Amino acid sequence: MAQRAQPISKVLGHAVSLGVLGLIVATGVAVALRAEDGARIGAGDWAAIRFTVLQAGLSALLSVALAIPAARALARRQFPLKSLVITLLGAPFLLPVLVAAMGLIAVFGRTGLLSAVLSAFGLPPLQIYGFHGVVLAHVFFNLPLATRIILQGWLYIPAERFRLAQSLGFGPSDIARHVERPMLITVVPGALMVIFLICTTSFAVALVLGGGPKATTIELAIYQAFRFDFDLAKAALLGAIQVGICIVAVVLTRSFPVSDGMGAGLDRRLDIRPPRGWVFTTQDAGILTIVILFLLTPLAMIVLSGLQGIATLPPQVWWAALRSVGVALGSVVVTFALVLPLSFALSARSRLAELATSVPIALSPLVLGLGLFIMLNPYVDPRAVALPVTALVNALMSLPFVARILTPPVRALRSDYGRLSASLGITGLTWARLVAWPRLRAPLGFSAGLAAALSMGDLGVVVLFADGDSATLPLMLYRLLAAYRVDQAAGAALLLLALCLLLFWAFDRGGRANAAL
Amino acid sequence: MKTLSLIAAGVLATSTSVVAETPVLTIYTYDSFVSDWGPGPAVEAAFEETCGCDLQFVGAGDGASLLARVRLEGDRTDADVVLGLDTNQTVMAAETGLFAPAGTDLSGLNLPIAWQDETFVPFDWGYFAFVHNTDMDNAPTSFEQLIALPDDVKIVIQDPRSSTPGLGLLLWVQAAYGERAPQIWEGLAPHILTVTKGWSEAYGLFLEGEADMVLSYTTSPAYHLIAEEDASKTAAEFTEGHYMQIEVAGKVASTDVPDLADQFLAFMVSDAFQSIIPTTNWMYPVSVPESGLPAGFETLITPETALLIDPQMAQGARNMALEIWLSALSQ
Amino acid sequence: MLHFDKAEFDNGGFRLSADWQVPAGTKLALIGPSGAGKSTLLAGLAGFVPCIQGAVRCDGVDLAGLAPGTRPLTMLFQDHNLFPHLTVAQNVGLGLAPNLHLDAAQHAAVNKVLGRVGLEALGDRKPSALSGGQASRVALARALLRARPLLLLDEPFAALGPGLKAEMLDLVSELLQGTETTLIMVTHDPRDAQKLADQTVFVDQAVAQLPQETGAFFANPSDALARYIGA
């Protein structure tokens, strides 16, 4: 494989890249062609673009600003249950937005936990709805990702560098300046960009917590253009603007988030001596406590409020859950079919593959779903392909993350063992069985878990394609809400949360079990 | 190989024969109608008893995306009937030319207003209203009273661009206040906790206790009373009158089973269908069944004045009202 | 005077003991099989691995409780001796002030020491623009500037190739001439020890044995040493 098959893998990777990019462009064009009038971008749309960029930028800055001290504390401190804490801290990123919003409101809402505490001191309740509510929710979702990317940066600092720093008598500020800051300079732009991009496609968060039409994101404007005005030209144009912002951001930062920041093994013990003195201890303990409380309390609230309802869930909801698991597994298969060739091309630094694995972050799921619908409708019954299409779209959406997890190990596999494998004549399936699988199974398991969990919670395009009988669990949750069944909806939310985490855990665990490292 | 083709032939034969024997009636509707807790399952069972057909509901998002979905599919649509549009959309829907006049006998309707549309057939209706807990001590009886309350009295409303009740409130203010609508919205703005995408999110926030009142229907308290035996919810009666929502269905012009579609629309205004509506869709039937309304509905408020903008004017009113709303709430 | 007083170091479960002393200015080589504990001895001395029994004293001062940076020693690692984002001069300047706030005299000292290792023209370069030998010289220059009583070499020149390695060892020897610096170097190559060290310690099976005069050590090898050097 290593020598002879490299060109093949690159060709395949380029083919997949072109396929992915082609599909994205085709759906946009399909929507635009179906439009009846030319698009007009009004003042409201410009406001939406401004709001989107502003909230995404602020969300990215705050997430990273919090993540830096949190990652530093995690890197240099040892404490009981550290690896469990690191795993749980990843959970918000996997959460379905609607479920997370319920949890956030239970903590930060007017009648939430914090307001209850405040009112005990005679203070007015918190006001979460508005611009800051949107940013708060985005920080909640993305702080885990930022922390993981930056923690990875700490782990990549050679141990000798910390020893050198110690033997030269560096104090904490010298370490910050000579060891940590240079690492952060390489890691932070990528983290900022990936979070910025994730936040540009935000939709449901702004809808619940935004507080009004001021908090209109581009994705929301697309949604309204389609449903309220049936203005497909505008929907397509706004979708293109969204992708355009992504490309500009990529060009501006000139770096891709190449870190395998979601990678496993973050609980590895580091040869870093924590600085002595109560100031630093308090600082680290403080930031970790804040982050853990901020991320885990909403999860706890979802669990608490759902416990009662989950016992009374009707069988249809369990069937929907099963269907969602099926979609998630299908999504994993599609993801791997796309991502394996892509990560081999990425490891050979293919620009095309880079584009194909970054544009989907900023892709409008609605435009994608709409385009697929327009393209497929003349030939097949949309209802018949609802679940496969959902699996495909979810796979596209998780592609950027999964590709970035797999590329570094694939690159290492090629550079470290490529020549050895070639000289020993290990090729083809033997290569896959003896070399690739043992070396890659841990990151493969991790990325499968991520793809499955992200797919599980996503409502995405399913609405356009769904029919009454193939409802997924998130759709079922909406139906319960629409039928006044708030307690059962809370139960369904807990079920969704549990399944997301369970799928993730099972894949990740399966990949790491007996993994030869 | 031989066995395989035999099986294939068998499957083909059975499926064609099924198609030949039972005609299929495809109805596009909003998602909560087809859900297990909506009217869909009972309606399907009741109609299939008499029609000798296979009724298939397709859930196409919510009320607002329903029309978009049909427009997207155009003449190629599989739909024979579209159920779940409302009077704010009927003119726009008729303009697409996708719908055919129904010719259903509507003599038995007892709506608060006279029904004149010839294309669309109404199947249920309700009044928009602000729902609150009965223990709310300063419940307002008009928009102006609501505005005069302290700013910490909060309401949750829905975005008119994505939600039927949201649009209903826009037209409600417009119908009740006309030129004074901008002032009303500026007065309401500090009371608006948040604007949600759909009814469900807003109602959920209200039940969580996040807001004092939520924009919903006068019939919402009936759900809590009948399904949960909880009498703690009520709707505030406003002296300006309440805006109506009338939900309709229409026959798709390109249907391949026009007779079946007509049969369904006639069934829709009959007792069998109408008696399902109150406790599944939690709306008023357009024709009160012989058995009357379910016990509990008598406790609901009955607004003196029913407001409804003429469907012919709705499109224009909608765009103007949206401009007013956007500028009042974007400050 | 460097004194291992019944000292035992714990490197993640692996324990190494040493019980001997050498006078200041000694040039000492550590030789022995892989995994026998040579690097553990250096890491223990430098403060990266705890001393769990006995004591290590330098000129009478117990090193326990001293942070690595305040111990009277400089250590050159196998790799990563320079910060890639700092210039050569800055990397050397760290030896005087970790915050790099240097006054004019200190700048002059940096330049002077760069001159002594033959790199006066390269002060503005980044490490990535240096050859392996040049990078080693920068690390040496910093060690020289710190002028600590002990210099520990954990095979910093191993990757340089035989000719360059010999050249670097000559440089070390030349630079230490006339100072009271105690040198402790890990090596795999008896020739290195013979060239530079007046005493040699054989580290085998978790024990750093008593130092012996280098010439005698190699002239009458013990059985274990004979097996190790293949003589």
Side-chain angles (χ1 to χ4, degrees):
Chain A
M1 178 85 187
Q3 289 299 333
R4 221 177 35 186
Q6 264 176 23
I8 297 174
S9 69
K10 194 156 182 178
V11 167
L12 198 60
H14 280 157
V16 173
S17 305
L18 285 176
V20 167
L21 292 171
L23 184 67
I24 291 168
V25 173
T27 51
V29 170
V31 174
L33 285 181
R34 184 69 181 68
E36 282 149 18
D37 309 302
R40 280 178 299 276
I41 296 286
D45 303 308
W46 287 116
I49 293 170
R50 261 199 315 276
F51 176 80
T52 303
V53 172
L54 197 64
Q55 60 83 16
L58 194 63
S59 302
L61 279 177
L62 277 178
S63 301
V64 170
L66 259 177
I68 290 173
R72 183 173 56 195
L74 281 173
R76 67 190 184 189
R77 301 284 173 184
Q78 300 301 324
F79 51 88
L81 300 180
K82 181 174 164 183
S83 75
L84 181 72
V85 167
I86 291 179
T87 307
L88 272 179
L89 288 186
F93 187 70
L94 305 172
L95 272 191
V97 177
L98 182 69
V99 174
M102 288 162 100
L104 282 174
I105 289 170
V107 175
F108 296 98
R110 280 179 92 216
T111 50
L113 269 185
L114 265 182
S115 293
V117 173
L118 287 177
S119 74
F121 291 98
L123 294 166
L126 281 182
Q127 183 52 272
I128 185 187
Y129 304 94
F131 182 79
H132 54 285
V134 175
V135 172
L136 178 92
H138 284 160
V139 173
F140 174 75
F141 283 117
N142 294 304
L143 179 56
L145 180 65
T147 308
R148 279 167 170 263
I149 292 176
I150 292 169
L151 180 55
Q152 193 74 54
W154 247 282
L155 297 184
Y156 276 155
I157 298 176
E160 290 91 338
R161 194 149 297 151
F162 282 106
R163 289 194 165 189
L164 176 60
Q166 285 180 56
S167 66
L168 289 173
F170 280 15
S173 62
D174 304 316
I175 291 190
R177 182 170 161 198
H178 296 310
V179 182
E180 297 173 337
R181 207 181 301 161
M183 176 278 290
L184 289 174
I185 286 170
T186 64
V187 171
V188 161
L192 279 176
M193 193 193 71
V194 72
I195 294 171
F196 174 83
L197 291 180
I198 292 171
C199 295
T200 54
T201 57
S202 176
F203 171 57
V205 165
L207 274 169
V208 180
L209 297 174
K214 269 179 287 185
T216 299
T217 58
I218 299 177
E219 185 71 10
L220 184 51
I222 294 175
Y223 184 72
Q224 285 156 352
F226 166 58
R227 291 169 19 127
F228 191 70
D229 302 317
F230 199 67
D231 188 345
L232 294 176
K234 190 193 260 187
L237 186 59
L238 288 171
I241 288 176
Q242 194 154 295
V243 170
I245 291 174
C246 163
I247 291 170
V248 169
V250 169
V251 170
L252 277 184
T253 50
R254 280 201 200 180
S255 75
F256 271 85
V258 284
S259 159
D260 50 345
M262 298 297 289
L266 289 180
D267 46 354
R268 181 159 67 81
R269 201 184 170 91
L270 258 190
D271 200 12
I272 305 177
R273 270 211 196 170
R276 292 181 198 176
W278 64 271
V279 177
F280 296 107
T281 314
T282 319
Q283 186 190 326
D284 284 355
I287 185 79
L288 282 181
T289 310
I290 289 171
V291 166
I292 289 170
L293 283 179
F294 173 53
L295 295 181
L296 298 190
T297 320
L299 295 186
M301 296 305 285
I302 295 165
V303 174
L304 278 182
S305 66
L307 278 178
Q308 200 192 345
I310 202 166
T312 66
L313 287 180
Q316 300 91 321
V317 178
W318 292 99
W319 282 113
L322 205 61
R323 217 172 282 125
S324 278
V325 171
V327 171
L329 296 180
S331 191
V332 169
V333 173
V334 181
T335 304
F336 277 163
L338 296 176
V339 84
L340 283 177
L342 281 176
S343 54
F344 272 91
L346 270 178
S347 74
R349 305 188 190 281
S350 148
R351 300 294 295 179
L352 197 61
E354 272 186 7
L355 203 60
T357 52
S358 45
V359 168
I361 302 188
L363 200 54
S364 156
L366 189 72
V367 173
L368 185 64
L370 208 53
L372 280 173
F373 186 90
I374 291 168
M375 292 195 292
L376 290 175
N377 187 37
Y379 310 106
V380 287
D381 180 356
R383 281 173 287 163
V385 293
L387 297 183
V389 165
T390 310
L392 172 69
V393 171
N394 289 343
L396 275 183
M397 295 297 171
S398 54
L399 204 54
F401 306 103
V402 174
R404 268 159 195 86
I405 295 164
L406 280 178
T407 303
V410 165
R411 185 174 291 155
L413 182 69
R414 289 170 56 142
S415 63
D416 298 352
Y417 300 101
R419 289 184 179 172
L420 179 63
S421 307
S423 66
L424 293 174
I426 305 176
T427 55
L429 280 178
T430 317
W431 175 85
R433 184 170 59 86
L434 290 181
V435 182
W437 171 243
R439 303 299 308 171
L440 293 181
R441 61 179 282 180
L444 280 177
F446 183 80
S447 28
L450 189 69
L454 289 178
S455 167
M456 184 84 204
D458 192 59
L459 191 58
V461 291
V462 84
V463 174
L464 258 184
F465 286 87
D467 77 86
D469 302 326
S470 58
T472 56
L473 188 53
L475 186 57
M476 212 46 129
L477 202 169
Y478 265 105
R479 285 184 177 176
L480 283 165
L481 272 179
Y484 291 91
R485 284 166 169 76
V486 179
D487 288 341
Q488 288 185 339
L494 172 57
L495 181 61
L496 192 51
L497 166 69
L499 285 175
C500 277
L501 294 185
L502 194 70
L503 273 178
F504 173 75
W505 177 83
F507 274 114
D508 187 33
R509 187 63 200 276
R512 275 197 278 175
N514 306 319
L517 290 172
Chain B
M1 197 62 208
K2 204 170 169 188
T3 348
L4 201 68
S5 52
L6 271 179
I7 293 171
V11 168
L12 218 66
T14 7
S15 58
T16 39
S17 67
V18 168
V19 169
E21 276 167 24
T22 8
V24 175
L25 180 70
T26 306
I27 300 183
Y28 282 14
T29 184
Y30 47 82
D31 195 67
S32 61
F33 194 92
V34 296
S35 99
D36 297 293
W37 306 278
V43 166
E44 185 176 339
F47 188 61
E48 283 179 354
E49 255 175 43
T50 59
C51 72
C53 68
D54 178 13
L55 171 55
Q56 290 187 358
F57 279 117
V58 176
D62 54 14
S65 20
L66 187 56
L67 183 58
R69 166 77 176 264
V70 178
R71 287 179 75 174
L72 205 54
E73 296 186 351
D75 285 338
R76 270 195 311 269
T77 183
D78 280 342
D80 301 305
V81 170
V82 175
L83 180 151
L85 306 176
D86 71 14
T87 41
N88 298 320
Q89 297 169 295
T90 48
V91 172
M92 202 199 308
E95 277 171 3
T96 64
L98 294 170
F99 292 91
T104 311
D105 174 18
L106 299 178
S107 55
L109 295 190
N110 36 25
L111 283 166
I113 56 142
W115 188 254
Q116 281 159 347
D117 195 312
E118 288 177 354
T119 307
F120 294 98
V121 181
F123 67 91
D124 69 9
W125 66 279
Y127 291 113
F128 293 114
F130 286 98
V131 171
H132 60 86
N133 285 314
T134 44
D135 61 6
M136 181 179 177
D137 44 15
N138 48 4
T141 59
S142 67
F143 282 107
E144 286 174 325
Q145 267 199 23
L146 171 58
I147 291 169
L149 288 174
D151 279 357
D152 65 348
V153 173
K154 295 292 183 189
I155 59 173
V156 195
I157 63 171
Q158 300 84 358
D159 194 318
R161 294 166 295 179
S162 56
S163 148
T164 316
L167 183 57
L169 177 61
L170 231 58
L171 298 174
W172 185 1
V173 172
Q174 204 65 34
Y177 286 95
E179 294 196 342
R180 282 187 56 213
Q183 284 155 267
I184 295 295
W185 278 113
E186 272 160 39
L188 286 176
H191 294 284
I192 296 173
L193 179 74
T194 190
V195 181
T196 65
K197 171 185 135 192
W199 176 89
S200 309
E201 294 93 338
Y203 209 81
L205 286 176
F206 164 68
L207 290 182
E208 291 281 319
E210 286 290 300
D212 303 286
M213 305 211 291
V214 60
L215 176 66
S216 186
Y217 298 90
T218 59
T219 41
S220 297
Y223 168 80
H224 299 283
L225 188 66
I226 297 171
E228 298 178 338
E229 296 176 359
D230 169 9
S232 70
K233 307 282 184 287
T234 187
E237 186 167 353
F238 277 18
T239 52
E240 297 96 330
H242 287 248
Y243 199 79
M244 287 179 73
Q245 181 185 20
I246 304 174
E247 296 196 287
V248 304
K251 180 168 78 169
V252 176
S254 60
T255 174
D256 48 357
V257 285
D259 295 341
L260 205 50
D262 286 334
Q263 197 186 334
F264 179 82
L265 293 175
F267 166 78
M268 198 173 71
V269 292
S270 73
D271 269 15
F273 181 105
Q274 290 291 309
S275 61
I276 295 169
I277 287 296
T279 55
T280 51
N281 228 23
W282 302 100
M283 296 282 273
Y284 285 110
V286 289
S287 149
V288 178
E290 265 176 47
S291 52
L293 289 169
F297 269 65
E298 75 284 354
T299 63
L300 303 176
I301 61 158
T302 47
E304 304 235 324
T305 318
L307 301 174
L308 186 66
I309 290 177
D310 182 342
Q312 298 297 330
M313 317 291 285
Q315 175 78 9
R318 178 189 101 137
N319 291 339
M320 187 176 69
L322 183 66
E323 287 301 315
I324 292 169
W325 182 81
L326 281 174
S327 68
L329 264 63
S330 294
Q331 278 160 18
Chain C
M1 167 88 85
L2 176 65
H3 185 191
F4 291 93
D5 185 1
K6 298 192 176 66
E8 193 167 323
F9 303 100
D10 180 6
N11 188 1
F14 172 78
R15 294 186 174 193
L16 175 91
S17 57
D19 185 20
W20 40 262
Q21 49 187 316
V22 289
T26 307
K27 311 283 177 274
L28 193 69
L30 298 181
I31 198 164
S34 283
K38 300 185 295 292
S39 291
T40 301
L41 187 72
L42 284 201
L45 195 52
F48 299 121
V49 160
C51 176
I52 53 164
Q53 265 180 39
V56 187
R57 278 187 286 273
C58 185
D59 296 329
V61 179
D62 190 344
L63 297 187
L66 289 184
T70 55
R71 295 192 175 204
L73 54 86
T74 294
M75 181 160 171
L76 264 56
F77 304 97
Q78 288 182 3
D79 211 342
H80 299 286
N81 282 302
L82 303 180
F83 290 100
H85 58 288
L86 299 179
T87 64
V88 164
Q90 283 174 316
N91 264 296
V92 174
L94 287 174
L96 290 174
N99 60 13
L100 287 180
H101 293 163
L102 304 182
D103 59 26
Q106 287 171 316
H107 278 298
V110 167
N111 285 333
K112 190 176 160 206
V113 80
L114 278 176
R116 286 187 65 192
V117 297
L119 294 180
E120 55 275 78
L122 303 184
D124 293 333
R125 286 214 189 159
K126 290 279 176 74
S128 58
L130 299 180
S131 70
Q134 289 170 329
S136 298
R137 283 168 187 265
V138 177
L140 263 183
R142 183 170 61 211
L144 212 56
L145 199 57
R146 282 171 55 108
R148 300 277 167 116
L150 283 166
L151 176 62
L152 314 184
L153 304 183
D154 190 6
E155 300 190 86
F157 315 127
L160 294 183
L164 204 48
K165 187 173 80 172
E167 189 187 318
M168 292 309 299
L169 289 175
D170 286 342
L171 179 64
V172 169
S173 161
E174 177 199 322
L175 293 174
L176 294 186
Q177 213 127 59
T179 70
E180 276 296 276
T181 307
T182 305
L183 174 77
I184 303 184
M185 55 179 281
V186 169
T187 183
H188 281 103
D189 190 342
R191 281 167 301 178
D192 291 351
Q194 283 158 335
K195 177 175 196 142
L196 204 59
D198 30 59
Q199 304 231 24
T200 297
V201 165
F202 188 52
V203 184
D204 189 30
Q205 295 180 0
V207 179
Q209 297 170 0
L210 290 180
Q212 295 177 47
E213 196 277 315
T214 302
F217 177 77
F218 286 106
N220 308 301
S222 66
D223 289 349
L225 176 64
R227 269 198 305 279
Y228 172 64
I229 58 179

